[in-house]
């Protein structure tokens, strides 16, 4: 993993997901979990924020929830509504 991505690919999450799907140990774990009808247990999931690296169009930079809330003229506290029909 670190050979392929020595630095976090913060602007390429889909590329990283595709790379992870090619790793044999991960594929074996998924196959075993399916075979035994058990979920895969994730013991730790560090979250790395994404950031805008380039913008081919003139779009706003929205790297964080705070950026999105600011663009929509909301505060973080008021942007936590439950969507209609959600439990």
């Amino acid at each position: 993993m670190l050979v392929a991505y020595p630095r976090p690919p913060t602007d390429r999450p889909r590329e990283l997901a595709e790379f992870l799907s090619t790793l044999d140990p991960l594929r074996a774990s998924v196959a075993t979990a399916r075979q035994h009808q058990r979920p895969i247990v994730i013991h730790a999931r560090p979250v790395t924020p994404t950031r805008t690296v380039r913008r081919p169009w003139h779009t706003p930079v929205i790297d964080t929830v705070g950026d999105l809330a600011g663009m929509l003229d909301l505060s973080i506290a008021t942007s936590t509504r439950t969507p209609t029909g959600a439990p």
Side-chain angles (χ1 to χ4, degrees), residues 11-55:
D11 62 329
R12 300 180 317 272
R14 288 180 191 91
E15 179 182 311
L16 178 60
E18 172 119 5
F19 173 77
L20 291 174
S21 73
T22 67
L23 298 177
D24 289 334
L26 180 59
R27 292 173 62 121
S29 294
V30 170
T32 300
R34 284 185 179 155
Q35 182 181 9
H36 296 289
Q37 297 181 343
R38 293 184 182 155
I40 293 177
V41 178
I42 299 173
H43 296 281
R45 183 177 180 253
V47 178
T48 303
T50 59
R51 63 182 175 87
T52 304
V53 175
R54 63 182 176 87
R55 299 180 311 159

Side-chain angles (χ1 to χ4, degrees), residues 44-83:
R45 183 177 180 253
V47 178
T48 303
T50 59
R51 63 182 175 87
T52 304
V53 175
R54 63 182 176 87
R55 299 180 311 159
W57 301 280
H58 297 293
T59 56
V61 175
I62 303 173
D63 290 337
T64 66
V65 172
D67 293 340
L68 178 61
M71 187 188 86
L72 298 174
D73 197 27
L74 300 170
S75 70
I76 300 285
T78 61
S79 64
T80 58
R81 296 180 346 159
T82 302

